[in-house]
Amino acid sequence: MVSFSENRRDLLFIALLLVSVPIVAGLSVALRPVRVRVGRDFRPNLVSAGGQTTELLTVENVGVQPLSGVRWRETGPMGTTPMPRDLPLPPLSGLGGAWGRSGGWDGFGEGPDAAARTVRLEFPLAPHARGRYEYGPVVLARSDPFGLVMARWAVGGRHELVVTPRVTPLPGRGHASMLGGGEALERQRLLNQNSDELIAREYRPGDSLRRVNWPATARHGEIMVRQEEHRSDSGVRFVLDTLAPAESGAREVDRARRASAFELGVEVAASVCTHLLAAGYRVDVVELGPAQLGTARLGRASNGATAATDAAPLGATGLGGSPVAGNGAGGTAGSGDPVSYRGSGGISHLLEDLAGILQVPAEARDAGTGEPNGPLAPPRSRVPRGALPTFAVLGAGAALDLAVLAALAASARPAIAFVLEPLPTDASERLREAGWRCIPVRSAIALPEAWLDSVGGRGALHEPA
């Protein structure tokens, strides 16, 4: 009996010990909270698909007690963060100054300043596809000395990384430098009909001598001055097809093909528009679908925070000069009007806008109105006026709004369409009748040749067989 009682006491002691160990382990973790401040930055914060950027994390211990035995992991889109497991966070001193050293640590090496209150962690990111990726928060983990209890904390906010479409370099500098004589000169005149022309005329009393055109004076034998005939800056229109046929009943392979064609179309738009902007043209982009350009940049603030703002993004304006972010009548974001880009600032804003553009079902035109061609689509009555050189990138023929395209071609000189997929016979004929010249583009590699074809770099433009 005595032996049995002693055995029971031993078993009870062991049971209490087994129960108390996890409790003590949990208390040891709970009584040592993690108090840190996390900062995040990307260098550069705008990267093209397939490019590389560096994420910079700054972790600062704002607690009184030193911080040690903590592991960390960044969170982000699947497949874009190069950390399959938690990594050790170097020891950090607290506000109490227990270790009292300052310095930094590279996050992956054996840095000597392991007792700093702040640590900087750097690692590369290489997103392969365009889009807007949100990173954060950072997950910190700490376990008890026995490894029985693990506590995790999500610290810091989210930060958006903008991955822009790839840009394929195109030959020449815009259109003017690639056009020669004959028919090419006529195209050059049409493409530059809005440029400022310099005309020599005879001298009149009151004209400034600084405007004397000496070569013309020598040719005419009398004083000639420069007369600037101002029209407006050179503009080019670009039409982007964001509509897709209805997906009901579509096979998976067809959906994948359309998605691939749309990505190619975005790359074509980015390449052509960037080329024209770099050449000094103003580019007015028309969307065949819900207005998306310019909307993603509205209200964006640093560190991924969002806030309403009326500030005009530099480089992107409405056709009437009104800012994209404003509430004016021309070119406002979400209005269905064209959005105008110009200058070097226009290139970055255009690429940023194209980073988040999506393909939407054709039915989205009717959203909220119940009527065809509602305000989310370019209304036929609001087709931009004025003859401008017009380029278009067109996808699946079943989703094309041929009436809108015909109206756009009527105000285009010339009208060139980069076609990503074979068009139905009737759609192709109607486009040709409306004045569109269709040039097939099957891959990004073929884009420079298609561009030369569009501007007559290889001779007269031709219709594909």
Side-chain angles (χ1 to χ4, degrees):
M1 292 291 295
V2 174
S3 176
F4 178 74
S5 176
E6 291 178 352
N7 289 338
R8 290 186 60 184
R9 285 198 299 270
D10 292 341
L11 292 174
L12 181 61
F13 173 77
I14 293 174
L16 290 175
L17 181 63
L18 293 176
V19 171
S20 61
V21 167
I23 295 176
V24 173
L27 289 175
S28 68
V29 173
L31 295 178
R32 295 189 301 162
V34 173
R35 297 185 59 194
V36 298
R37 181 185 295 116
V38 175
R40 180 183 292 100
D41 193 15
F42 299 102
R43 298 180 181 176
N45 57 8
L46 198 68
V47 62
S48 63
Q52 183 170 302
T53 184
T54 299
E55 181 174 357
L56 173 62
L57 285 174
T58 303
V59 182
E60 179 186 3
N61 182 19
V62 295
V64 176
Q65 299 299 322
L67 188 63
S68 62
V70 176
R71 303 183 70 85
W72 70 279
R73 175 171 52 87
E74 171 70 305
T75 59
M78 185 174 297
T80 63
T81 52
M83 43 184 55
R85 57 186 176 84
D86 294 347
L87 299 175
L89 188 73
L92 301 175
S93 62
L95 292 175
W99 295 330
R101 298 178 62 187
S102 61
W105 196 63
D106 62 7
F108 289 97
E110 296 294 335
D113 299 327
R117 274 206 320 113
T118 301
V119 64
R120 187 177 65 181
L121 310 167
E122 297 183 14
F123 51 95
L125 297 175
H128 66 278
R130 70 173 182 89
R132 297 178 178 273
Y133 299 93
E134 280 195 344
Y135 289 85
V138 173
V139 176
L140 301 181
R142 172 190 268 171
S143 64
D144 68 284
F146 305 103
L148 298 177
V149 178
M150 175 74 74
R152 294 183 180 273
W153 297 268
V155 295
R158 297 179 180 272
H159 196 138
E160 185 180 71
L161 173 65
V162 179
V163 182
T164 64
R166 292 180 178 88
V167 175
T168 301
L170 301 179
R173 187 179 183 276
H175 282 72
S177 64
M178 303 175 62
L179 300 176
E183 181 185 4
L185 283 177
E186 175 63 14
R187 292 192 191 130
Q188 184 178 15
R189 184 187 68 80
L190 292 173
L191 287 167
N192 295 280
Q193 59 182 325
N194 290 329
S195 61
D196 295 340
E197 298 179 359
L198 298 179
I199 302 175
R201 61 168 174 81
E202 65 275 13
Y203 174 82
R204 297 172 186 171
D207 288 338
S208 173
L209 292 179
R210 289 178 298 180
R211 298 176 59 187
V212 174
N213 189 329
W214 295 110
T217 298
R219 287 195 304 269
H220 292 274
E222 59 178 327
I223 299 178
M224 306 290 290
V225 296
R226 295 187 303 270
Q227 175 177 287
E228 298 181 0
E229 188 174 287
H230 179 78
R231 295 181 182 180
S232 64
D233 57 341
S234 300
V236 176
R237 184 180 300 128
F238 194 93
V239 182
L240 180 60
D241 180 18
T242 59
L243 295 176
E247 295 290 341
S248 57
R251 297 179 302 171
E252 185 66 29
V253 64
D254 292 332
R255 287 194 291 266
R257 177 176 54 82
R258 290 168 185 165
S260 177
F262 180 71
E263 291 304 315
L264 175 59
V266 174
E267 185 170 339
V268 171
S271 303
V272 172
C273 291
T274 296
H275 186 72
L276 292 170
L277 286 168
Y281 290 90
R282 185 193 76 248
V283 178
D284 305 332
V285 182
V286 179
E287 298 173 77
L288 298 184
Q292 301 179 62
L293 296 178
T295 58
R297 284 183 284 110
L298 299 184
R300 292 181 64 239
S302 59
N303 286 332
T306 58
T309 177
D310 292 329
L314 297 178
T317 60
L319 293 182
S322 58
V324 173
N327 297 319
T332 55
S335 69
D337 287 334
V339 179
S340 180
Y341 301 86
R342 69 184 71 213
S344 58
I347 294 177
S348 60
H349 283 117
L350 170 73
L351 294 178
E352 186 177 351
D353 289 344
L354 291 177
I357 200 164
L358 302 174
Q359 190 176 30
V360 294
E363 291 80 359
R365 292 176 299 180
D366 310 330
T369 64
E371 299 177 0
N373 300 302
L376 291 181
R380 294 189 180 96
S381 60
R382 299 171 67 180
V383 170
R385 297 180 179 178
L388 287 178
T390 300
F391 297 88
V393 56
L394 305 179
L400 296 180
D401 192 329
L402 296 175
V404 170
L405 289 171
L408 286 168
S411 61
R413 299 293 187 275
I416 300 171
F418 297 105
V419 180
L420 308 178
E421 295 185 357
L423 291 175
T425 303
D426 58 339
S428 180
E429 291 178 354
R430 289 188 60 182
L431 285 175
R432 282 196 296 267
E433 292 173 357
W436 286 97
R437 186 178 299 276
C438 299
I439 300 176
V441 179
R442 296 292 178 260
S443 66
I445 298 177
L447 181 55
E449 183 179 3
W451 173 252
L452 285 174
D453 194 358
S454 72
V455 297
R458 300 185 308 162
L461 300 176
H462 65 276
E463 290 287 344

